Structure formats: structure tokens, C-alpha cells
Amino acid sequence: MTDVADSSTVALEARPASAVPTRRRRVVGLVDTDSFAKWGAHLLATAPAHWDLELLTVRTPRTASRAQLRSAFRGLDARLAHLASRPPEPTDVDVVVRRLREDPPDAVLVALIGPVAELVVDQVHRRVRDRPVLVTGLPGISYPAKWKGVFLRARADLFVLHSHREVRAYEDLARTGGLEPAFALATLPFARPTHTRGTRSGGATPVRDSVVFAAQPSVPSDRAERQRIVHWLTATAIAHPEWRVVVKIRATTGEQQTHREEHPYAELVPADAPANLVVESGPMAEHLARAVALVTVSSTAVLEAVAAGVPALTLTDFGVGPQLINEVFEGSGLPGDASDLIAGRFRTVRPEWLRDNHFHPPSDDDWAVRADDLMLQRDDGRLVDRPAARRSRGGALRRAWERKNALGRDDRSFLGSVALVVGTPVRRTKQVVRRVVRASRPGSPVGGREGLRDRDQQLVARRYAR
């Protein structure tokens, strides 16, 4: 783990001087859910010093709460540090787009959940005359590549990913689907190598007494499987009374998350659980500061643990596959099972896995340089609009449907209400037809992990059928 941590001194110095223009740039970030807020803010905090930064929270049904935003905005640079104590109030999409139209920035980071990202990118294209460069991306682990992630963000000028492996997979997927989005590489901002293990910010040595389980809202999604995890954590707490076993959650009752959570862990922990099994929220970095180890099924938090030099364990008891988002950890040395958790057998990452999987040299990052180049193209009137992946017909009514789908109750337009009445039965009919068609087809083997998944192939096929 030392090699990972020791590279942090060059992480912020990797950009060549020739790539730093003297002209100042104004860049606005748009965020909504908890994970997109954390990712978007921390990515902007790694941007070049000549970027003047602003961040807005977009109002949607899944917008993060103030507490979630304060947690997400911890540890930002001086340009954005004020957000941790004063997160921006949620703003309606129409107000955000109007502000961009009245005073267009040089670039906008669209760090929004898929349907909202598609809506905002479309609105900027339609309503902002001198439109800014549109940068987008996905937070956390984005392997294997998913067509929906590309489909909804195809019109953005730059699509940020966080490992060489992800970039290859998304380039292959996009080309198979007939698209050519521009994928760029950035070190995952909150998984940058650090020297925090063993010290606190004030220099004091922290007490290392916690095994932290990084909960995910939908992995696994089955209630019985989540209860099994609670059972294993309970057994770990009993076997190791010297440890605090922490179920680290991302949302408390009433708060939203990027992905829906039907069975919150806080409701599954029994009332008679051992006293050293606790459920806590708060910034992951603070939990890692006192962690003996980080345990998860596939949370991006494991990358934060690797960067901080904290041993980790990715549980494979439920299998390995795209739905569990844990294929990326094959070959990392981190996978194990419940028996390893209960016995306290935690792992350190294999060095040969690092470069291709989120821990590439900082000099490989090209997202900011490429964004700067796109801003220069905008200055000269050479910025080319990328076509949408969506080929659906329907005009204004279809756009109203997509808006209603993205914003839910936060869309109060008359046309949105009409689209909902007209579109809902049509959508349900299509869903039934698709289920019947799928059920009538003979099973086919899943292709290689680097290629398209069955679901992604179907999405591509539907695109061409429209």
C-alpha cells in the first residue's frame, strides 16, 4: 500500500506548465443526488487554478438533503470550501438554465443523474445561444460499461471516466452503438492517494478501532441477502469485541439517494445487536481515519480505502457480475467472503492491478486539458454540437414526457401533465410487449465482459429500431 500513498505528492503537480493557459475561465457545476454531489464538487476541486468555480444544486425528486450535501462537500479546495457549511439551496431546472442563458459560463459540469443530465444538456443546446462547453461523467466505479450512461449523455462535449479500463470499455460500447462521445480520464477525486493513514489533520494519531462496512442502496437489493450481511456483521462484532463494527450508511430516514434503497440497513439491524455494532452516517474519509479495515460488496469506498492505505475486503458471497458492480475487483487481491470478514482476514491490493483500475499515474489524466481545449474552440466559434443518441419521434410532447420522467413532481408544467396522461399507458404497453418478446426467445449465453451485455445489446437494437 505504501506505493499508492507515496504517489500523492505528484498527484497535484502532474499538469505540464504548457497546458495551463493564462486566461481565466468560469466553470459552473450542477449537482443533484448524494453521489453526484460528492463527485461533481470534488472533481471541480481538482480543476486548474485558472478556473473560477461555482456550484449549483438542481432540484429533483432525488436531490440530496442539506446534511448529505454538507457531508459530500467536506475536504474541498479553497474555491469551494464554503460549500461544506453553506451548501447551495436547490434550484429549479428552468431557473438554472435561465441563469446559464443570461450569463453563459465557459463550461458547465453536468454532474446529474442520467435523465436529469439528458434534460439539462438538451435545454442548454436549445436555449443558450452562446452555449458553454458541456462536461459530464459518472461517479465512482463505472465498469462494466452501461449503454444507458452513454445514451443519456451523448450530446455532452466531454465525458469523464476514472480508469483506463473504463475508458476502453465505454469507447467500445459507444462505437458499437454508433456513437463517438469523447471520453476523458480523471483520477477519481476522492480516491486520490493520501498520507492520512496513521495521522489526523492536526497531527494526532487516531485510534484505529473500526471495521467499516460501506453500505450501498441497491447492491445487493434483496432483503434476505442484506439480512445475511447484517448477520455476518453481528458475528464479527461478537468475535471481535475490541472493534466497533460500523454500518456506514449514506442516507437517514427521509433522505434520497442516487439509487433507491428498499431495505435500509438501519431497519435490519436487530434491537438486541451487540453494543459494538453501530449504524452511522457522515463523510467516509472520517470513518476511514479510524478504520482497521473497509468491507463492502462493491462500493467506491473501497477505492478510498486503498488510497488511504486501509486494508479492505470485497465480499463475493453473492457472486461476481455486472449487477453487483464487482467484476472490477477480480485480480485485485481484495475479494473474499463472510468467513474472512468474521475472522478478520482483510486484504491489501495487488500492485499489478492498480494502473489499469483507478490508480494510474496522475500524468495520464487529460480531462482538464481537453476541457480547456474545448473552451478555446468555443472562443473561436469552432465548438461542434454532438448529436443525441435518442432517435424517438414525438416532438414537444415527447420532450415533455422526458422532462416529466426526469423531474417527477418537480415538473409542474401543463404539457408535462398531458404527456404523463398520454405516455403512461403507452409505456406500460411497450413494457409488456418487451417482456413477452424476451420470454419467447431462447436463452443465449452472456458474451465476454469487455463487450456489450445482453441488456445493452437490446438497448442498442431498440435505438436502431426507432
Side-chain angles (χ1 to χ4, degrees):
M1 305 299 295
T2 303
D3 292 342
V4 179
D6 286 349
S7 67
S8 64
T9 56
V10 298
L12 301 178
E13 302 170 359
R15 188 174 290 104
S18 60
V20 181
T22 56
R23 176 174 175 174
R24 300 205 68 79
R25 296 293 187 180
R26 187 166 71 89
V27 179
V28 175
L30 306 178
V31 304
D32 56 357
T33 68
D34 58 329
S35 59
F36 276 97
K38 180 178 179 180
W39 171 71
H42 284 263
L43 182 67
L44 284 180
T46 69
H50 66 278
W51 291 17
D52 295 326
L53 306 178
E54 179 183 358
L55 190 137
L56 302 175
T57 303
V58 178
R59 189 190 312 279
T60 76
R62 299 195 196 181
T63 297
S65 69
R66 287 187 64 81
Q68 287 174 305
L69 291 175
R70 284 194 293 268
S71 177
F73 297 155
R74 298 278 184 87
L76 298 174
D77 77 337
R79 294 169 293 180
L80 297 172
H82 63 282
L83 296 175
S85 58
R86 300 187 304 279
E89 291 292 334
T91 304
D92 289 341
V93 164
D94 291 338
V95 175
V96 170
V97 175
R98 184 169 65 246
R99 289 175 61 174
L100 297 177
R101 185 178 68 239
E102 292 172 351
D103 185 16
D106 295 287
V108 174
L109 174 64
V110 183
L112 303 167
I113 195 170
V116 183
E118 182 186 36
L119 170 65
V120 168
V121 168
D122 176 74
Q123 287 291 295
V124 170
H125 273 276
R126 289 178 179 277
R127 298 174 58 190
V128 181
R129 184 174 181 179
D130 184 20
R131 76 165 181 88
V133 172
L134 294 167
V135 181
T136 191
L138 296 171
I141 296 169
S142 302
Y143 181 88
K146 294 179 175 61
W147 173 250
K148 189 175 182 180
V150 179
F151 180 85
L152 296 174
R153 298 171 175 85
R155 298 189 74 187
D157 302 293
L158 197 65
F159 193 123
V160 179
L161 295 166
H162 300 290
S163 78
H164 285 293
R165 191 178 192 180
E166 289 178 354
V167 170
R168 289 196 306 272
Y170 271 89
E171 286 177 344
D172 289 346
L173 178 63
R175 293 191 182 106
T176 303
L179 299 175
E180 285 288 340
F183 296 102
L185 184 64
T187 300
L188 194 64
F190 37 85
R192 284 177 174 267
T194 67
H195 289 291
T196 58
R197 183 161 174 79
T199 61
R200 290 190 188 274
S201 58
T205 301
V207 175
R208 293 260 167 204
D209 62 353
S210 302
V211 171
V212 180
F213 172 72
Q216 295 162 274
S218 58
V219 179
S221 59
D222 181 75
R223 180 184 178 89
E225 290 179 340
R226 294 167 81 84
Q227 286 178 319
R228 287 176 65 192
I229 290 177
V230 171
H231 172 75
W232 299 333
L233 295 172
T234 300
T236 303
I238 293 172
H240 302 277
E242 72 279 10
W243 291 342
R244 298 169 70 251
V245 178
V246 180
V247 182
K248 196 281 181 187
I249 59 175
R250 291 166 44 179
T252 57
T253 303
E255 292 180 326
Q256 300 296 321
Q257 299 181 71
T258 301
H259 302 286
R260 299 187 188 280
E261 185 171 30
E262 294 186 11
H263 308 292
Y265 282 101
E267 298 176 5
L268 300 178
V269 174
D272 61 350
N276 61 327
L277 176 61
V278 298
V279 178
E280 296 180 350
S281 58
M284 177 57 72
E286 294 184 4
H287 287 281
L288 289 176
R290 61 185 296 185
V292 173
L294 186 286
V295 181
T296 189
V297 175
S298 60
S299 171
T300 302
V302 75
L303 301 178
E304 295 187 59
V306 169
V310 175
L313 183 68
T314 59
L315 299 173
T316 58
D317 302 81
F318 307 112
V320 176
Q323 296 302 316
L324 293 168
I325 324 175
N326 60 356
E327 290 174 304
V328 68
F329 296 114
E330 290 184 303
S332 69
L334 301 178
D337 58 24
S339 65
D340 295 309
L341 167 61
I342 297 169
R345 293 189 294 264
F346 305 115
R347 313 282 203 252
T348 55
V349 72
R350 291 175 180 165
E352 62 270 20
W353 179 85
L354 294 170
R355 183 180 183 115
D356 211 31
N357 296 281
H358 300 280
F359 293 96
H360 52 268
S363 57
D364 291 355
D365 289 348
D366 63 354
W367 80 279
V369 172
R370 291 176 62 181
D372 269 322
D373 182 63
L374 288 166
M375 287 184 251
L376 287 172
Q377 293 179 38
R378 174 179 180 265
D379 294 343
D380 298 338
R382 296 182 291 113
L383 188 62
V384 178
D385 290 349
R386 292 179 175 272
R390 190 181 295 281
R391 299 291 186 263
S392 303
R393 294 175 174 84
L397 191 62
R398 177 65 193 222
R399 290 195 298 273
W401 165 261
E402 298 301 340
R403 176 188 171 95
K404 193 70 173 179
N405 181 53
L407 301 181
R409 64 177 181 272
D410 291 304
D411 171 39
R412 293 176 287 275
S413 66
F414 172 74
L415 195 56
S417 299
V418 173
L420 185 65
V421 172
V422 174
T424 299
V426 174
R427 185 182 196 184
R428 288 175 179 168
T429 300
K430 287 184 176 180
Q431 289 172 338
V432 171
V433 171
R434 287 168 183 163
R435 291 193 194 102
V436 172
V437 171
R438 284 197 297 268
S440 65
R441 291 173 179 165
S444 59
V446 178
R449 291 191 178 108
E450 299 293 338
L452 288 173
R453 303 288 165 185
D454 286 349
R455 183 179 64 166
D456 294 327
Q457 290 172 329
Q458 293 162 10
L459 285 166
V460 173
R462 287 205 295 272
R463 178 202 162 200
Y464 286 119
R466 287 174 175 144

